[in-house]
Amino acid sequence: MAQDKLGVAIVGTGFGCITHLPAFRDAGFEVRALVGRDPKRTAERAERFGVPHAFTDLAAALALDGVDAVTVATPPHTHAEIVLAAVAAGKHVVCEKPFAGDADQARTMLAAAERAGVVHLLGTEFRWQSSQALLARLIAAGAIGEPRLATWLLHIPVLTGPDAEVPAWWGRAEDGGGWLGAHASHWIDQIRHTLGEFAGVSAGLPLVADRPGQTAEDTFNIRFRTVTGVEGTLQSSAGIYGPPLITTRVAGTHGTAWVEFDDVWVADANGDRRVETPADLANPDPVAPPSDLMHTAYDLLHSMGIDRAPYTKLAATFAALIHGDPVPDSPRHATFADGVAGQTVLDAVRASAASGGRWVDCAER
């Protein structure tokens, strides 16, 4: 039996319009309101995308008839206030990552959502990205034996040069800006989902590019160990010149699995082979958002539209959970509890970097 469309209010007019808005519509939601800080920009984007209500006051959106859910696509330092108001109003919530300012704040958000009895998901859309989902499934199925060594590497020159503009908040560490939260939070979630919880980290957070006034890092270099015994390295920079450098690879007792763009490969005693993507993990081709929405180098990270299809699956899972329908265990959705766990790792990374790279036990955090 067909169910009535769920109504959602989108908070944030940048990534909120670039990805959240089309993805939630693709998943069957009715976008009832757009909430932003700038009245003119918010009204213009609401009109452009056919959203019936534009607000700069979150309370007005929460009071609107037909709003069942809220999705939060704003800078990290604003998440807690928005999420706490939304769950207090009884709304189901999706919140972007990085989830909070720190793990204590994240625990407050989780506790509030649990008390309210609402569905709460973390915006980790790349759990549904085909290659990452397949990699996780293969490792869980024992395709490489017991995982022992993991390498995640990404160098992309998006923040180099004088024209590499970023939003003001992104350059400020105190506002949750920087490359650690923007990119490592995805990897941390993927590792937790694929290899187990983090036991500890040793890290550095340098600023490689010459960007006057920026206090947030454009690079992270993290050595980690999981509670399951995997040793690994996460290294990425958005502030270096040169061609992109990308590696995602996990080695185990019987083989190695790795990602090449959207393909997953396995090597073992029988040789190398590409693994076909099963139908349930396949995604349609990316749909690029309108180019005039791309104003900064940070926006351009989303210019190819690769996150729309995975985000649609996240939003569809969100809808199913709200309706009480069953959802697949693979990929498993991330809740605010995952937000707390991920934020704990981010806090440990920052603590390690601030102390010159000492080993920090994540359990102690």
Side-chain angles (χ1 to χ4, degrees), residues 123-163:
T124 53
E125 72 272 25
F126 290 114
R127 286 195 182 198
W128 285 270
Q129 198 267 342
S130 296
S131 60
Q132 293 194 30
L134 179 55
L135 179 69
R137 185 175 291 181
L138 288 170
I139 290 172
I144 62 169
E146 294 184 19
R148 288 288 183 262
L149 183 68
T151 304
W152 264 258
L153 175 66
L154 174 67
H155 289 180
I156 49 174
V158 296
L159 299 180
T160 53
D163 297 327

Side-chain angles (χ1 to χ4, degrees), residues 289-344:
S291 60
D292 64 297
L293 297 181
M294 308 290 125
H295 295 297
T296 69
Y298 183 71
D299 293 333
L300 289 172
L301 292 170
H302 312 291
S303 62
M304 293 184 293
I306 61 172
D307 38 18
R308 176 170 171 172
Y311 226 111
T312 297
K313 288 185 174 179
L314 185 157
T317 300
F318 185 49
L321 290 168
I322 293 171
H323 286 308
D325 296 336
V327 297
D329 281 332
S330 174
R332 184 68 180 169
H333 54 276
T335 71
F336 284 9
D338 294 282
V340 172
Q343 196 65 52
T344 299

Side-chain angles (χ1 to χ4, degrees), residues 3 28 30 48 85 87 135 158 193 196 198 210-211 215 349 362:
Q3 293 169 308
E30 181 181 355
R48 172 176 180 172
V87 300
L135 179 69
V158 296
H193 179 54
F198 282 68
D210 183 11
R211 300 182 61 82
T215 59
V349 168
C362 291

Side-chain angles (χ1 to χ4, degrees), residues 72 74-87 95 99-101 105-106 108-109:
V72 182
T74 60
H77 67 286
T78 67
H79 288 176
E81 181 178 1
I82 296 167
V83 167
L84 293 175
V87 300
C95 183
F99 183 49
Q105 192 178 75
T108 298
M109 295 158 69

Side-chain angles (χ1 to χ4, degrees), residues 44-365:
E44 287 176 347
R45 294 205 167 180
E47 181 178 8
R48 172 176 180 172
F49 294 109
V51 180
H53 299 281
F55 299 110
T56 55
D57 179 16
L58 176 64
L62 296 176
L64 190 67
D65 287 342
V67 171
D68 305 289
V70 172
T71 181
V72 182
T74 60
H77 67 286
T78 67
H79 288 176
E81 181 178 1
I82 296 167
V83 167
L84 293 175
V87 300
K91 309 302 181 184
H92 308 288
V93 182
V94 172
C95 183
E96 268 305 322
K97 34 59 58 191
F99 183 49
D102 55 38
D104 286 340
Q105 192 178 75
R107 282 187 280 268
T108 298
M109 295 158 69
L110 169 62
E114 290 182 333
R115 283 195 305 270
V118 298
V119 176
H120 48 88
L121 294 188
L122 187 67
T124 53
E125 72 272 25
F126 290 114
R127 286 195 182 198
W128 285 270
Q129 198 267 342
S130 296
S131 60
Q132 293 194 30
L134 179 55
L135 179 69
R137 185 175 291 181
L138 288 170
I139 290 172
I144 62 169
E146 294 184 19
R148 288 288 183 262
L149 183 68
T151 304
W152 264 258
L153 175 66
L154 174 67
H155 289 180
I156 49 174
V158 296
L159 299 180
T160 53
D163 297 327
E165 181 185 356
V166 296
W169 69 267
W170 200 94
R172 295 192 293 261
E174 61 271 25
D175 289 345
W179 195 234
L180 179 73
H183 191 68
S185 55
H186 277 300
W187 279 357
I188 288 167
D189 180 74
Q190 180 69 10
I191 289 163
R192 290 185 53 254
H193 179 54
T194 305
L195 302 175
E197 298 294 341
F198 282 68
V201 297
S202 172
L205 297 174
L207 181 60
V208 174
D210 183 11
R211 300 182 61 82
Q214 180 159 330
T215 59
E217 77 290 330
D218 61 13
T219 301
F220 56 83
N221 189 33
I222 305 166
R223 180 187 167 223
F224 71 89
R225 184 181 304 119
T226 69
V227 297
T228 56
V230 180
E231 297 273 352
T233 300
L234 306 179
Q235 186 187 91
S236 182
S237 180
I240 51 91
Y241 286 98
L245 183 60
I246 305 171
T247 299
T248 300
R249 181 179 292 241
V250 181
T253 52
H254 298 145
T256 299
W258 68 95
V259 175
E260 292 183 8
F261 298 101
D262 214 27
D263 292 330
V264 177
W265 290 74
V266 170
D268 54 24
N270 296 315
D272 300 359
R273 61 192 178 277
R274 185 176 69 84
V275 182
E276 291 292 333
T277 301
D280 67 309
L281 298 184
N283 286 320
D285 291 337
V287 178
S291 60
D292 64 297
L293 297 181
M294 308 290 125
H295 295 297
T296 69
Y298 183 71
D299 293 333
L300 289 172
L301 292 170
H302 312 291
S303 62
M304 293 184 293
I306 61 172
D307 38 18
R308 176 170 171 172
Y311 226 111
T312 297
K313 288 185 174 179
L314 185 157
T317 300
F318 185 49
L321 290 168
I322 293 171
H323 286 308
D325 296 336
V327 297
D329 281 332
S330 174
R332 184 68 180 169
H333 54 276
T335 71
F336 284 9
D338 294 282
V340 172
Q343 196 65 52
T344 299
V345 178
L346 292 175
D347 287 1
V349 168
R350 291 187 173 110
S352 176
S355 65
R358 73 175 176 87
W359 187 261
V360 174
D361 188 333
C362 291
E364 295 177 357
R365 306 298 300 176

